[in-house]
Amino acid sequence: MSYFGVDYYPEHWPSSQMEEDLTGIKGLGANMIRIGEFAWHVMEPKEGEFDFSYFDKVIEQAKAYEFKVMFGTPTATFPAWLAHKYPSILSKDEYGTVREFGGRRQYCFNSEEYREYSARITRELIKHYRNEEAIVVWQVDNEFGHEGSDQCYCEQCKRAFQKFLKEKYNDIHELNERWGTIFWGQTYNDFTEIPAPTPTITTHNPSLKLDWARFRSFSLNSYAHQMTEIVREEKGPHQEITTNVSGGFFDKWFDHEENLRPMDFVSYDNYPVWGGLEQPIPPSEIAMTLDFNRGLKGQNFWIVEELMGAQGHDVIGYLPRPNQAKLWSYQAFAHGCSNMLYFRWRGMTRGAEQFCYGVIDHDNRYGRKYHEVKDVFTEMSKYDQLLESPIEAEIAVLYDYDNIWSWRAQTQSKDFHFNQELMRLYQPFYDLNTKLDVIPADRDFSNYKVVLVPVMQVLNEELATRLKEFTKQGGTVIFSFRAGLKDKDNVINFGQTLPGPVADLTGIRVEEIESLTAEHRLSVKGEHDLSQEESYVNIWRDLIVPEGAETIYRYTDSLYKEYAAVTRNSYGDGEAFYIGGGLDVEGLRPLVKKVVENHNIDYEESPIGVEVYTRVVDEKEYQFIMNHTEEEVSYMNKVLAPYETQIVKK
Ligand code: GLA
Ligand code: ZN
């Protein structure tokens, strides 16, 4: 059975309001509420005085409506008395400025006091409700690392960083050697001399920056796992554990697969538009975020915060059009969401989120959004089996956080963004309505037909070997630029022409390189069966000399028209493409369509803005046909109104 519901904050309203609220939530067709994730002070108003009586009453009333409950552990917002007693729990930004009490998540993961007090409230809470049959899921904290909370540059973190390095390298001479601290005379005699990468003149050592990123990930994940272990120890056997992943996951300083490892399932907060954005992120990028979350554990996931109203703190922007947030909900279900809670039941009148509009607004009326949510729950409650059915993709997109952090340490082009470069390869496959998994590079990808490897500059021999084996067995691999530049220390490979460990696989040599801006577009011309194609690259270009590979596109500027821009190399029973720059999606389309057809991968050609996603249940096919535009569209003898979704049994 799937859960459908809302995020509910009864503690924000008079208790007299609860009856009416629970009746209204029930009227949606809901069977779950999420509560508690910011209510530490309600449960421990004074140090050591635990009082769960308020939430006991909330749960009793919720049970009268037969709601199940997801309960959030409240460590994302600690009480003022704790910060007052231990100011050292407050994190610091790179300038040494304390993140003052008053927001949220402003705690330091390396504060021993914070770990002690948050472990205690977590343990007391779970012990109190371990036998509560209505509570079926614990959510650990809230959106780990979001809003800049994954970084802290305080003294505790600096000392913990030095300890982290000592355990990794053991010998300071090894660190000096691998980091190349001889450069600019930075040789360390002792680990205690090593700084956190706070602002300096020009820039820090790239190996230090990458190890600092790994340390941030270690700090956050060891805290998250410590809290999760407590929940696991104390919870009842009928209760599961999750945590909610926020958007912007490629811009975070922690490995999400590692973060979710001890959890029973992944939960995601789906906000296609947030804050002052003029427009939502494109439908293809929303789809990628959903595929990323499904990829974290290779299984369907929950959404515990689905956007329904405009959202923001001090600034808000675009208003989701009628049925558009409903469409985003269906898109999430199509891509593997199995249970959904909307954020939030009613917008709050006081505090920092007055402009985070909910299912209903401050006027307490049940309007358009209420009925859109009710429609979604009514429709999707018919598809329990479909929602649980697995999604079998034949195309995988690989990412690796070491590689992402290496790029963030030195973007090389002022307009480089990892997300943009992953989307560059993802987009044309999405536009053909194929299914894609977005997975960590260390996952086994041998059973896919196509593997996309966006800007994998940190690419070691182990990954190169698996990619060669995959291709030899008949797979298609598509690299984009800068592949194979560096090793895992963020050091450029010595004595290797690019693309380093995948040079033989790609059958090319990169002779020179040029960083480009977004505006600096260089034209490329197709060859052979793409001879009619013209396109351009921006952001970057590799000047390629084929060594066995065939040229697909070549540069046209006079001094460089001898060089290839895009190549294809036969390798074993498969093929390896190398996209040597930020190739425009139109230039990629013909190549992608051929790859999809050659591998007999199911695809649909739909009008721009119409997304088609097919799910299979007991060999029956169900197609989600989603109109992401504000125009009426026709597709396969169906007419879809603006932002309409139709689920069609084929
Ligand atoms: C995040 C948080 C919620 C709330 C919403 C507002 O997703 O998890 O607590 O702040 O944003 O949009
Ligand atoms: Zn710190």
Side-chain angles (χ1 to χ4, degrees):
M1 175 196 71
S2 288
Y3 288 108
F4 303 109
V6 296
D7 303 322
Y8 183 43
Y9 301 90
E11 73 274 20
H12 291 177
W13 310 94
S15 296
S16 57
Q17 181 64 42
M18 204 174 336
E19 205 68 38
E20 176 195 305
D21 285 343
L22 293 174
T23 306
I25 295 167
K26 192 73 180 176
L28 291 168
N31 57 11
M32 176 174 273
I33 54 173
R34 184 191 72 173
I35 59 175
E37 81 271 26
F38 298 123
W40 186 336
H41 188 275
V42 175
M43 301 181 238
E44 189 183 4
K46 286 196 175 64
E47 179 174 353
E49 295 177 19
F50 299 102
D51 173 6
F52 300 102
S53 59
Y54 174 77
F55 281 105
D56 291 349
K57 283 200 286 296
V58 171
I59 290 164
E60 278 322 301
Q61 288 202 250
K63 284 160 79 170
Y65 287 80
E66 294 173 342
F67 286 136
K68 291 299 184 190
V69 175
M70 176 184 281
F71 205 124
T73 64
T75 49
T77 48
F78 46 82
W81 55 256
L82 180 58
H84 186 67
K85 182 172 181 181
Y86 295 110
S88 61
I89 68 168
L90 294 168
S91 65
K92 288 184 177 175
D93 71 15
E94 63 271 33
Y95 301 99
T97 308
V98 171
R99 272 81 173 255
E100 189 44 87
F101 181 84
R104 64 179 174 184
R105 290 194 214 90
Q106 67 282 48
Y107 60 82
C108 169
F109 293 110
N110 289 304
S111 157
E112 282 168 21
E113 290 79 11
Y114 197 72
R115 290 210 177 204
E116 179 195 331
Y117 279 79
S118 46
R120 195 172 59 166
I121 182 64
T122 299
R123 190 176 302 280
E124 292 301 325
L125 171 63
I126 312 306
K127 274 164 59 177
H128 183 78
Y129 288 120
R130 65 160 61 113
N131 299 319
E132 176 46 71
E133 46 84 25
I135 298 175
V136 293
V137 187
W138 292 105
Q139 172 186 298
V140 180
D141 203 284
N142 179 278
E143 293 192 326
F144 277 116
H146 200 34
E147 296 164 340
S149 59
D150 47 4
Q151 283 287 8
C152 175
Y153 295 84
C154 76
E155 263 313 295
Q156 296 158 142
C157 283
K158 183 171 143 182
R159 286 196 302 277
F161 178 48
Q162 292 164 350
K163 181 168 173 289
F164 173 85
L165 294 173
K166 185 164 174 56
E167 283 166 7
K168 175 175 179 181
Y169 295 96
N170 186 29
D171 173 343
I172 194 65
H173 304 297
E174 181 175 345
L175 178 142
N176 283 318
E177 179 53 29
R178 286 170 59 179
W179 282 17
T181 55
I182 188 69
F183 187 80
W184 283 350
Q186 295 174 356
T187 303
Y188 298 107
N189 294 334
D190 190 278
F191 288 94
T192 55
E193 296 171 1
I194 299 172
T198 50
T200 181
I201 293 181
T202 67
T203 186
H204 278 283
N205 176 301
S207 305
L208 184 152
K209 288 202 244 183
L210 180 53
D211 270 338
W212 175 261
R214 291 173 172 136
F215 164 69
R216 294 315 309 168
S217 184
F218 169 78
S219 301
L220 185 151
N221 286 335
S222 70
Y223 174 83
H225 293 178
Q226 181 187 350
M227 297 304 126
T228 306
E229 275 148 37
I230 293 168
V231 178
R232 186 124 352 248
E233 269 166 41
E234 300 296 353
K235 73 176 187 66
H238 67 294
Q239 296 170 336
E240 292 191 286
I241 309 175
T242 188
T243 190
N244 51 338
V245 173
S246 72
F249 37 77
F250 289 136
D251 294 330
K252 296 286 191 299
W253 297 101
F254 67 99
D255 181 322
H256 284 57
E257 183 193 30
E258 180 57 24
N259 181 259
L260 270 299
R261 198 177 304 284
M263 311 289 173
D264 293 312
F265 59 84
V266 174
S267 291
Y268 178 50
D269 294 347
N270 189 27
Y271 291 98
V273 59
W274 204 92
L277 287 183
E278 195 181 317
Q279 289 296 329
I281 63 172
S284 57
E285 194 165 339
I286 305 170
M288 186 277 287
T289 67
L290 300 166
D291 295 340
F292 170 89
N293 278 280
R294 190 178 71 247
L296 285 173
K297 280 185 170 291
Q299 63 189 39
N300 294 351
F301 55 96
W302 289 45
I303 285 181
V304 296
E305 297 186 17
E306 178 72 19
L307 175 140
M308 184 37 75
Q311 296 287 317
H313 285 162
D314 302 339
V315 173
I316 49 179
Y318 180 86
L319 169 67
R321 290 346 192 208
N323 294 316
Q324 189 172 20
K326 187 172 159 186
L327 165 75
W328 290 330
S329 309
Y330 285 125
Q331 182 187 26
F333 286 122
H335 284 259
C337 170
S338 53
N339 301 270
M340 181 177 284
L341 308 177
Y342 282 88
F343 185 86
R344 50 180 277 166
W345 166 239
R346 176 175 45 239
M348 177 56 168
T349 54
R350 295 164 295 155
E353 296 200 336
Q354 295 172 317
F355 303 120
C356 292
Y357 287 88
V359 175
I360 63 176
D361 294 333
H362 310 115
D363 61 8
N364 209 28
R365 283 183 49 255
Y366 296 3
R368 169 184 67 80
K369 296 182 289 177
Y370 181 91
H371 291 95
E372 288 191 20
V373 171
K374 185 172 179 177
D375 289 350
V376 172
F377 288 170
T378 305
E379 173 88 28
M380 295 318 295
S381 58
K382 294 184 288 192
Y383 291 104
D384 272 1
Q385 253 198 310
L386 181 152
L387 295 179
E388 292 307 328
S389 66
I391 292 172
E392 311 289 339
E394 296 177 299
I395 304 161
V397 189
L398 303 187
Y399 67 87
D400 169 71
Y401 271 101
D402 283 344
N403 180 59
I404 293 168
W405 295 328
S406 163
W407 276 106
R408 291 184 69 190
Q410 302 158 293
T411 58
Q412 301 173 60
S413 160
K414 74 174 183 62
D415 294 323
F416 177 92
H417 299 284
F418 175 76
N419 207 66
Q420 164 186 271
E421 294 311 321
L422 183 143
M423 283 309 302
R424 194 187 296 280
L425 299 187
Y426 180 97
Q427 184 78 46
F429 289 95
Y430 164 85
D431 289 341
L432 286 173
N433 297 298
T434 60
K435 291 198 184 70
L436 296 105
D437 283 347
V438 180
I439 58 173
D442 61 5
R443 187 79 53 83
D444 177 12
F445 48 75
S446 54
N447 293 327
Y448 291 97
K449 290 180 175 175
V450 180
V451 166
L452 312 181
V453 189
V455 291
M456 193 68 81
Q457 69 174 359
V458 174
L459 199 166
N460 61 9
E461 285 298 344
E462 187 275 335
L463 178 55
T465 304
R466 287 192 294 130
L467 287 166
K468 289 175 193 172
E469 188 51 35
F470 167 77
T471 313
K472 216 179 284 174
Q473 299 304 322
T476 293
V477 61
I478 302 179
F479 293 97
S480 63
F481 55 87
R482 283 312 235 174
L485 175 70
K486 294 188 165 190
D487 67 14
K488 282 279 186 180
D489 288 336
N490 208 10
V491 168
I492 292 177
N493 295 317
F494 175 63
Q496 283 187 25
T497 49
L498 289 174
V502 291
D504 55 345
L505 171 56
T506 52
I508 65 169
R509 174 166 53 87
V510 175
E511 192 152 81
E512 290 196 72
I513 53 101
E514 183 172 27
S515 167
L516 306 171
T517 62
E519 298 72 32
H520 189 180
R521 295 178 173 188
L522 294 172
S523 75
V524 293
K525 182 146 178 23
E527 302 232 331
H528 309 303
D529 48 3
L530 291 191
S531 56
Q532 302 311 307
E533 300 292 337
E534 290 185 5
S535 188
Y536 70 86
V537 294
N538 64 351
I539 309 297
W540 190 267
R541 68 165 166 178
D542 289 334
L543 299 173
I544 299 170
V545 175
E547 291 184 336
E550 62 172 311
T551 298
I552 304 283
Y553 280 102
R554 142 182 337 277
Y555 297 109
T556 63
D557 48 330
S558 59
L559 295 178
Y560 294 115
K561 58 179 185 288
E562 297 312 308
Y563 289 104
V566 177
T567 56
R568 177 193 170 280
N569 187 43
S570 294
Y571 189 87
D573 294 337
E575 59 184 354
F577 289 88
Y578 188 92
I579 319 290
L583 182 66
D584 179 57
V585 66
E586 295 311 324
L588 259 178
R589 283 193 205 288
L591 176 160
V592 164
K593 185 153 182 223
K594 243 178 111 211
V595 165
V596 165
E597 288 176 338
N598 288 348
H599 281 287
N600 297 315
I601 291 171
D602 289 341
Y603 73 94
E604 305 257 353
E605 293 194 283
S606 58
I608 299 266
V610 174
E611 178 181 353
V612 182
Y613 204 92
T614 305
R615 298 287 294 270
V616 181
V617 185
D618 296 340
E619 291 164 16
K620 285 194 282 297
E621 285 195 352
Y622 294 83
Q623 274 199 334
F624 286 77
I625 305 172
M626 297 162 269
N627 176 14
H628 285 282
T629 76
E630 56 182 44
E631 311 299 332
E632 180 179 283
V633 293
S634 299
Y635 174 70
M636 304 294 272
N637 70 30
K638 301 267 174 220
V639 175
L640 289 101
Y643 304 119
E644 184 186 2
T645 296
Q646 291 185 20
I647 303 175
V648 177
K649 192 172 163 192
K650 281 187 82 173

